[in-house]
Amino acid sequence: MSPDSTDLITPTPRERELMMLIARGLQNKNIAYELKISENTVRAHIGNIMRKYRLHNRTQIAIVYALKAAPLSPRHDPARNGASPAKVKPVQTLAQAPLAPTVPE
């Protein structure tokens, strides 16, 4: 799975839909039900995706989908390009939080 070759390949809308459902962890029969197609068609789509991206299993399909669906990569992070990072509220310390008894008295 070469990063350069997969960047040039664009999945069809149906392949993207199928990749999303695989990434969500659905089984073939659930994907078939969701897309209103047969399980054989699901298997054919999966085979096409695997050939297209030179993948070996469903986990790799989910990874490719996640990488293509990711809104920003770390190298395009606006916080690294001089923009101010978002303000983070301080976390309440344990000393400030009341402790609940864990053992009945």
Side-chain angles (χ1 to χ4, degrees), residues 43-57:
R43 283 191 287 276
H45 281 305
I46 291 172
N48 291 338
I49 292 168
M50 287 184 176
R51 268 189 303 283
K52 193 176 198 179
Y53 289 96
R54 296 187 177 127
L55 304 175
H56 302 285
N57 57 48

Side-chain angles (χ1 to χ4, degrees), residues 74-90:
R75 61 184 161 200
H76 293 106
D77 185 3
R80 289 187 175 193
N81 294 333
S84 62
K87 300 275 184 192
V88 178
K89 293 182 180 179

Side-chain angles (χ1 to χ4, degrees), residues 10 15 24-26 30 40 50-51 53 65 92-93 101 103:
T10 305
E15 288 172 344
R24 285 180 40 203
L26 271 64
N30 300 108
N40 287 335
M50 287 184 176
R51 268 189 303 283
Y53 289 96
Y65 174 77
Q92 185 180 20
T93 63
V103 179

